[in-house]
Amino acid sequence: MKSHYRVVVIGGGVVGASVLYHLAKFGWSDVCLIERKVLTAGSSWHAAGGFHALNADPNIAALQAYTIDLLSEIERESGQSVGMHMTGGLTLAGTPERWEWLQSAYRVFQTIGIEDCRLVTPEEAVALNPVMSGDGILGGLWADREGYIDTTGTVQAYAGAAKKHGATVVENNRVLELNQTADGWQVVTEKGTVTCEHVVNAAGLWAKQVGRMAGVELPVSPLNHHYLITDSIPEVAALDHELPMTVDLEGFTYMRQDQKGMLVGIYEIDHDHWMQDGAPWEYGFELQQEDLGRIENELMLGFQRYPCLNDVGIKTWVNGAFTFSPDGNPLVGPVPGKRGYWAACAVMAGFLQGGGVGKSLAEWMIHGEPEADVYGMDVARYGKYAENRRYIRETTGQFYSRRFVMTYPNEQLPAGRPLKMAPAHDAMTAAGCKWGVSWDLEVPLYFAPDGFEETPTLKRSNAFDIVAEECRVLREGVGLLDITGFSRFEVSGPRAEAWLNRIMASRLPAPGRAKLAPMLSETGKLKGDLTVLNWGDGTYWIMGSYYLRTWHMPWFDDHMEDGVTVRDLGEEICGFAVVGPKSQAVVEKLTEQDISRLGFMGCGAFDIGLVSAKVARMSVTGEKGYEINCRYGDHIALRRMLLEAGTSEGIRECGFNAMLSTRLEKSFGIWSAEFTQGYTPGMTGMDRWIDWNKDFIGKEAALAERDGNGPAQVQVTLEIDAVDADASGYEPIWSGGERVGFVTSGGYGHTLGKSLAMALVNRDKAEVGTELSVHVVGVERAAKVIAPSPHDPQGKAMRS
Ligand SMILES: Cc1cc2nc3c(=O)[nH]c(=O)nc-3n(C[C@H](O)[C@H](O)[C@H](O)COP(=O)(O)OP(=O)(O)OC[C@H]3O[C@@H](n4cnc5c(N)ncnc54)[C@H](O)[C@@H]3O)c2cc1C
């Protein structure tokens, strides 16, 4: 071990070994992996080694596909066998809803380019897996590229290939302490101290402690998980092919062949956290005692699905721990506030996702950002709230228990909630508000009559008419929307304007004005779809998506300059929007100032009743609207005054579902759908806000896009001949049997009475009037490209 490396990777499980491999392969060979015992000594040695294609997040599914392809490459590079069994895999559906979901998932796979899968009938499923009972199966999804590997061999292959690229592996050396220095980190180990520029926490079951060494509380917890391995089974031994990996979602089990027997793993409802503060340091190649009482119900289902299990002995029980984040996705990337400290942990399926995690992290460290949009596993997607022990326990437990339970897009899950509530929350609840969650905050979805319960569904829900009525209120009357769920950053200081000019690609608004502002990364990809407000007193606000607060703040910090202060106002400022043609009539009753002079996209300080507010005349609904921002303490009074003032105008409270429907009718994009860090201004139409006459971050790349051949795909609005369900996102779009794009978001436009979607399509299919088709919940529907902003295309309402 040298005394200095460019990077020290802590942890020799599959994830650390993959990070090491990718760093060295991409050119950073001065890297060292330090392992407490020997490679695989965490959860990696006892994994079942399975890999499969399905993941609810398409970006993560794509990284899984990358990992599967990589396995043979590391085998070749290292000369170490990974013990590949590419058996193919079956995912089974046991309820009509699950079967619908599986058909949708199949289409999403087509969108992300996973072509080697197909839907199968129950009979075909049984033919593919003859030891399985087909009882209750309604269909399945077959994927060619699923199977299992030898876990120890795989970790050794990653490490071996990394060493061939010049990396170092040091075993039997625990990292004891981490100290931040002026230019990196001092890593104190049992075998001495090394310095480095970057340190990577790939400590798996010990990630919590290795986080705390740097003063970081990572939202991660281990949970126990069982699988069993049987003795030889005559029916299996008699087969002339290997059984496919089989996931029985309604049966809570996964299964693969193990020699001439079977390995059956169980995702039980009755989950079991283990060592929430991290595994003991001395924990090694050990396991927990199996706990059959906890898995009894699921095991029974497994025995029904595979009747041959009833006649065979169980050779081995494995009850081992592995780690989960609150949403089950990994925690990867630079840890905010800790320069040079990187996370690569909470990787629930390391053999499936480890390759993608290693690749993304290495690109991030070397090039400043990963190639793919990996927001779904970015460690910065969580804020301070997620450090809480109970929050971690509830959310990770919920994720584990629901691993094989179907979650509907309109379903609200209870873990870690309610946490943060806007001050008027209780009054709004009394008024019938149904809540969703964004980050830590409860956000209003819609207001329903007493006793109403929304039915979870993949299709249009029984809240359809309620949302329709709220849309009508917003378009024809006046609605009140709680806008606590927006982010707000205050930018001040003598260099505020200069800094904003560099950070934002758009022209800055004049005093008393607001402006849409794309923010780009150095490589010209989107980093934000923000609104900048110039209050005219030297201070500016940046407004955006609430859940990106700790994702945007590190970006501002990383590009900070002297003479500028950026403050997150997310714990201080909240507000209400008054929206609709009658909004001005309501607001002017409450102010002695001349609100009629506040034109579209104007902003300023107003007294609204007793509340000293900051008001902006804009609305994502496309209607005339006033966003009234107030201090947290004033939220209840502001609501009460606005409702009182609006009584004669028939004001009604509305929620985000109506806001989302109305914005779709205006073709207004939103982050995580039309805009992501994977897309460019040219693809998304964001380029129309760019000020090409100034310098800004990402200009060179944006210019190259503008002056080059143009993006391959561009944003369009679609009208879909949908019947009882609307598109939601990532559905493939077809033209004459050829895949030509995908939906970025969709829904029902209640004002227009049409099913709408926004989509990225090949440029030659973007012309208005182009006839296409889209798969909506697995069913192919005719669709047509329509002109953007099908409602009020000239924007007369919002400018009125
Ligand atoms: C029963 C079971 C079945 C599973 N089946 C599958 C499956 O089929 N497919 C799949 O993809 N995944 C499966 N998994 C999950 C998989 O095991 C994990 O996702 C994976 O092992 C995580 O790897 P890791 O590198 O993040 O962590 P770990 O394997 O825990 O590695 C972390 C390493 O860091 C080292 N370390 C920690 N602290 C220090 C320190 N201070 N100094 C030096 N070294 C340190 C540890 O010794 C350890 O070797 C299963 C897990 C279990 C429990």
Side-chain angles (χ1 to χ4, degrees):
M1 187 168 75
K2 297 193 298 177
S3 61
H4 179 85
Y5 293 91
R6 190 167 200 173
V7 183
V8 168
V9 179
I10 303 172
V14 64
V15 175
S18 168
V19 170
L20 187 80
Y21 165 74
H22 283 94
L23 282 169
K25 184 177 175 177
F26 296 165
W28 278 19
S29 55
D30 186 21
V31 292
C32 177
L33 183 151
I34 300 182
E35 164 53 43
R36 185 184 58 111
K37 288 190 183 264
V38 293
L39 293 178
T40 76
S43 39
S44 293
W45 73 273
H46 57 238
F51 55 85
H52 53 97
L54 275 180
N55 189 294
D57 180 335
N59 291 307
I60 292 184
L63 289 174
Q64 291 180 178
Y66 165 81
T67 305
I68 296 170
D69 290 343
L70 181 70
L71 291 166
S72 51
E73 197 173 324
I74 56 166
E75 183 171 73
R76 191 177 40 73
E77 283 188 38
S78 64
Q80 158 74 49
S81 166
V82 300
M84 171 66 75
H85 294 252
M86 192 71 88
T87 59
L90 262 178
T91 303
L92 305 173
T95 64
E97 295 77 20
R98 177 74 81 177
W99 180 221
E100 264 179 350
W101 176 83
L102 214 49
Q103 293 173 70
S104 303
Y106 165 60
R107 298 300 171 182
V108 172
F109 285 144
Q110 292 186 315
T111 292
I112 57 179
I114 301 176
E115 305 280 5
D116 40 19
C117 52
R118 65 178 194 277
L119 294 167
V120 294
T121 63
E123 294 71 32
E124 287 170 312
V126 174
L128 288 159
N129 185 342
V131 300
M132 169 184 113
S133 149
D135 284 359
I137 297 298
L138 299 178
L141 180 62
W142 170 266
D144 288 349
R145 298 179 66 69
E146 298 198 341
Y148 66 97
I149 35 82
D150 165 33
T151 55
T152 304
T154 299
V155 178
Q156 294 291 353
Y158 274 120
K163 284 196 243 175
K164 290 206 166 150
H165 289 288
T168 305
V169 174
V170 178
E171 293 180 295
N172 297 306
N173 187 23
R174 171 147 75 95
V175 171
L176 304 169
E177 208 181 290
L178 291 172
N179 302 306
Q180 194 159 17
T181 63
D183 44 12
W185 291 87
Q186 186 191 54
V187 183
V188 182
T189 77
E190 286 172 332
K191 290 184 179 168
T193 298
V194 289
T195 56
C196 59
E197 291 161 41
H198 305 271
V199 64
V200 178
N201 177 351
L205 293 174
W206 296 263
K208 195 84 183 176
Q209 296 99 309
V210 173
R212 285 179 180 157
M213 286 181 193
V216 176
E217 277 296 328
L218 292 164
V220 56
S221 175
L223 280 108
N224 277 326
H225 178 66
H226 286 88
Y227 64 77
L228 60 87
I229 300 176
T230 69
D231 292 331
S232 281
I233 301 174
E235 291 93 322
V236 175
L239 291 171
D240 60 357
H241 66 279
E242 209 173 352
L243 289 172
M245 270 284 290
T246 304
V247 176
D248 179 10
L249 292 167
E250 272 63 52
F252 303 93
T253 60
Y254 59 88
M255 187 285 299
R256 69 163 171 84
Q257 188 165 330
D258 192 86
Q259 297 178 12
K260 300 289 176 208
M262 281 162 61
L263 179 154
V264 181
I266 300 111
Y267 273 101
E268 68 279 19
I269 298 287
D270 183 11
H271 61 258
D272 182 27
H273 284 90
W274 181 77
M275 302 284 167
Q276 217 188 312
D277 289 311
W281 287 118
E282 287 320 307
Y283 185 76
F285 292 93
E286 299 147 49
L287 293 168
Q288 280 70 261
Q289 181 66 39
E290 64 268 21
D291 182 355
L292 300 191
R294 222 162 38 72
I295 59 170
E296 196 182 350
N297 292 338
E298 292 81 2
L299 205 54
M300 293 267 291
L301 294 174
F303 276 55
Q304 285 165 17
R305 178 65 60 217
Y306 306 106
C308 57
L309 289 175
N310 291 295
D311 308 318
V312 68
I314 292 171
K315 188 166 66 179
T316 314
W317 273 105
V318 170
N319 181 19
F322 59 142
T323 50
F324 291 81
S325 74
D327 62 11
N329 281 336
L331 299 172
V332 182
V335 174
K338 297 284 167 191
R339 198 170 28 82
Y341 185 95
W342 303 79
C345 47
V347 186
M348 175 198 69
F351 292 91
L352 174 61
Q353 302 173 333
V357 166
K359 172 181 185 278
S360 302
L361 190 72
E363 289 167 349
W364 217 329
M365 295 175 76
I366 296 171
H367 305 299
E369 64 181 1
E371 187 192 354
D373 172 18
V374 294
Y375 176 78
M377 60 185 192
D378 190 335
V379 63
R381 72 187 182 279
Y382 287 107
K384 267 273 188 229
Y385 68 94
E387 294 179 0
N388 177 279
R389 288 178 67 81
R390 180 148 166 203
Y391 179 86
I392 295 171
R393 204 175 173 80
E394 283 187 19
T395 51
T396 53
Q398 174 176 274
F399 178 84
Y400 184 96
S401 291
R402 296 186 62 90
R403 177 93 170 93
F404 283 3
V405 176
M406 177 139 161
T407 300
Y408 296 87
N410 68 332
E411 202 171 355
Q412 295 300 320
L413 301 180
R417 294 178 60 194
L419 180 53
K420 185 176 168 188
M421 289 168 275
H425 175 274
D426 289 357
M428 291 168 70
T429 304
C433 187
K434 296 288 178 189
W435 298 95
V437 69
S438 169
W439 221 49
D440 59 347
L441 177 73
E442 295 293 306
V443 291
L445 300 178
Y446 53 85
F447 288 73
D450 260 2
F452 175 83
E453 288 302 329
E454 187 167 354
T455 314
T457 176
L458 294 169
K459 299 184 174 173
R460 289 179 195 151
S461 88
N462 55 338
F464 186 82
D465 291 341
I466 294 171
V467 177
E469 175 57 15
E470 290 187 9
C471 291
R472 196 195 57 73
V473 167
L474 292 172
R475 292 269 189 247
E476 295 174 14
V478 55
L480 186 67
L481 265 164
D482 171 23
I483 52 164
T484 305
F486 293 170
S487 72
R488 298 162 177 90
F489 297 92
E490 181 193 73
V491 186
S492 60
R495 286 198 44 80
E497 185 182 327
W499 181 79
L500 276 167
N501 248 322
R502 189 170 68 90
I503 289 280
M504 302 295 170
S506 67
R507 189 171 303 138
L508 291 189
R513 305 281 307 155
K515 206 168 182 57
L516 294 180
M519 187 164 74
L520 306 185
S521 71
E522 276 84 0
T523 56
K525 290 191 179 159
L526 296 178
K527 200 67 200 177
D529 59 334
L530 302 161
T531 304
V532 175
L533 299 93
N534 182 345
W535 295 111
D537 59 357
T539 60
Y540 293 80
W541 275 13
I542 300 171
M543 289 184 73
S545 306
Y546 181 86
Y547 66 94
L548 298 176
R549 280 171 57 193
T550 50
W551 191 71
H552 276 141
M553 197 65 199
W555 180 261
F556 299 146
D557 282 344
D558 285 351
H559 297 83
M560 199 35 71
E561 288 174 16
D562 286 345
V564 186
T565 307
V566 178
R567 223 158 51 84
D568 180 353
L569 303 177
E571 305 303 320
E572 293 169 39
I573 304 289
C574 54
F576 281 98
V578 185
V579 180
K582 297 182 183 166
S583 55
Q584 185 179 326
V586 175
V587 178
E588 64 192 2
K589 280 189 204 164
L590 288 171
T591 182
E592 290 164 24
Q593 292 154 276
D594 186 2
I595 197 93
S596 70
R597 293 180 59 188
L598 193 68
F600 177 57
M601 296 305 273
C603 65
F606 284 81
D607 286 347
I608 305 294
L610 289 171
V611 173
S612 303
K614 289 197 156 185
V615 181
R617 236 212 71 184
M618 55 193 185
S619 172
V620 71
T621 60
E623 290 302 320
K624 183 168 192 170
Y626 298 84
E627 291 185 355
I628 305 173
N629 301 282
C630 67
R631 292 177 306 150
Y632 259 71
D634 297 339
H635 196 238
I636 294 174
L638 180 63
R639 173 178 176 273
R640 199 187 54 231
M641 288 185 297
L642 288 166
L643 286 175
E644 280 169 13
T647 310
S648 49
E649 273 70 32
I651 195 165
R652 283 206 33 194
E653 288 190 276
C654 302
F656 278 26
N657 287 9
M659 188 176 84
L660 288 173
S661 165
T662 48
R663 72 96 198 167
L664 200 57
E665 293 175 323
K666 291 293 299 166
S667 303
F668 290 161
I670 52 170
W671 195 262
S672 289
E674 285 68 45
F675 311 126
T676 75
Q677 59 181 335
Y679 303 156
T680 60
M683 291 167 79
T684 54
M686 270 285 181
D687 53 349
R688 67 181 180 279
W689 306 110
I690 291 181
D691 177 5
W692 299 102
N693 297 318
K694 68 167 196 178
D695 284 331
F696 56 87
I697 293 171
K699 183 174 182 183
E700 213 177 307
L703 272 173
E705 182 185 48
R706 185 193 72 174
D707 300 337
N709 295 330
Q713 292 193 318
V714 290
Q715 192 80 58
V716 295
T717 303
L718 298 178
E719 183 184 327
I720 303 176
D721 283 349
V723 178
D724 55 354
D726 303 296
S728 56
Y730 287 106
E731 293 91 345
I733 296 173
W734 308 92
S735 169
E738 184 200 349
R739 191 159 42 78
V740 295
F742 63 97
V743 170
T744 51
S745 70
Y748 194 76
H750 287 279
T751 317
L752 297 168
K754 288 177 177 168
S755 184
L756 300 172
M758 293 179 74
L760 280 169
V761 297
N762 296 351
R763 268 195 309 183
D764 63 341
K765 302 292 174 202
E767 205 172 309
V768 171
T770 308
E771 303 277 352
L772 301 165
S773 68
V774 184
H775 272 95
V776 179
V777 191
V779 181
E780 190 167 0
R781 305 283 186 197
K784 188 167 69 188
V785 178
I786 57 172
S789 188
H791 173 75
D792 186 17
Q794 273 90 44
K796 286 186 184 148
M798 60 191 183
R799 289 188 174 81
S800 65

